Amino acid sequence: MSAGRGWRRLAGWLALLAAAALLAAGHGRWWRLPDRHNPFAPLSLAEAPGWLTRYKLARLSAEPAACQAFIDTTPLQAQPQPDRVTGPGCQLSHTLLVRRTQVQVGEPFTLTCRAAASLALWERHVLQPAAQAHFGQPVVRLVHFGSYACRNVYGRAEGARSQHATADALDVAGFVLQGGRRISVAADWPGDDAASLFLRQVHDGACGLFDGVLGPDYNAAHADHFHLDRGPYRLCR
């Protein structure tokens, strides 16, 4: 590369850096990046999930106050719980006792704030739109098998602790529609009718908002529920 060409390339990079600096300096004064595309803007329940949603959810994991602030903007009726160790390899950290989400939940359950944030987004942007699309009415109740349990994966005597051991997971068994119809993972997953298509849509939609999403196609242990977790691994089955 000739010296002249090298200097021109350097000048080009310097010009780009200068332009970027000017844009950054003018942000908020002369122009504003939409929050949906701003990695530093708080997560919003009203905004449809986008390319930064997973990053913003991950940030809430490291910022308990920001996570609680987000939960306070949602319909969740949830009370913060004290941190405590509950057994070998089991603990509750930044958890909430959830008495109601956007819908009724029956028995209250304990869930980490970060998992509750994913749940709120999933209900708003996946579950309810799917219910309207397939049945023309909303979901009014979430049927679940619980969240926290100090146990290993599959309840085995040995092995890794489950995400349930830290209240990072919720098992969803089905839904009740406004008209009273019950949609069950165990009964309605097979087939190609509206109930089955609805369940597959809400399962697949959860994969963009949770880390681990397991259902009947994963194994027999999940034949009757969806396992939704905010764990260390990405898995959608």
Side-chain angles (χ1 to χ4, degrees), residues 79-86 91-97 110-111 167:
Q79 179 182 359
Q81 299 296 291
D83 292 354
R84 63 188 186 275
V85 175
T86 54
Q91 65 178 6
L92 298 177
S93 180
H94 305 304
T95 58
L96 306 168
L97 179 62
T110 300
L111 202 60

Side-chain angles (χ1 to χ4, degrees), residues 27 29 39 74 128-129 133 138 148 166 173 196 202 204-205 209 213 216 218-219 225 234:
H27 184 254
R29 297 178 61 188
T74 74
Q128 296 294 11
Y148 168 75
T166 52
S196 176
V202 298
D204 294 348
L209 298 169
V213 178
Y218 181 60
N219 60 17
H225 69 278
R234 293 286 304 280

Side-chain angles (χ1 to χ4, degrees), residues 24-44:
H27 184 254
R29 297 178 61 188
W30 306 310
W31 69 283
R32 181 176 180 83
L33 184 67
D35 286 351
R36 177 178 172 81
H37 302 298
N38 183 355
F40 304 107
L43 183 65
S44 171

Side-chain angles (χ1 to χ4, degrees), residues 90-212:
C90 302
Q91 65 178 6
L92 298 177
S93 180
H94 305 304
T95 58
L96 306 168
L97 179 62
V98 180
R99 300 184 183 280
R100 181 183 173 88
T101 60
Q102 185 180 350
V103 301
Q104 299 174 18
V105 299
E107 186 71 21
F109 54 86
T110 300
L111 202 60
T112 57
C113 185
R114 63 181 186 175
S118 290
L119 181 64
L121 287 170
W122 176 67
E123 285 189 343
R124 170 72 176 267
H125 297 288
V126 177
L127 178 64
Q128 296 294 11
Q132 289 290 348
H134 289 282
F135 308 111
Q137 54 185 292
V139 168
V140 296
R141 182 175 179 182
L142 187 73
V143 181
H144 66 87
F145 288 158
S147 53
Y148 168 75
C150 184
R151 63 171 175 82
N152 295 338
V153 175
Y154 302 127
R156 294 168 178 163
E158 298 181 355
R161 282 301 199 195
S162 167
Q163 291 303 118
H164 289 284
T166 52
D168 264 318
L170 176 68
D171 288 341
V172 176
F175 312 92
V176 179
L177 300 176
Q178 187 176 58
R181 180 177 178 180
R182 290 177 174 267
I183 309 298
S184 163
V185 174
D188 295 310
W189 180 265
D192 58 0
D193 61 356
S196 176
L197 295 175
F198 163 75
L199 288 174
R200 292 174 189 277
Q201 184 174 340
V202 298
H203 169 280
D204 294 348
C207 294
L209 298 169
F210 290 89
D211 297 315

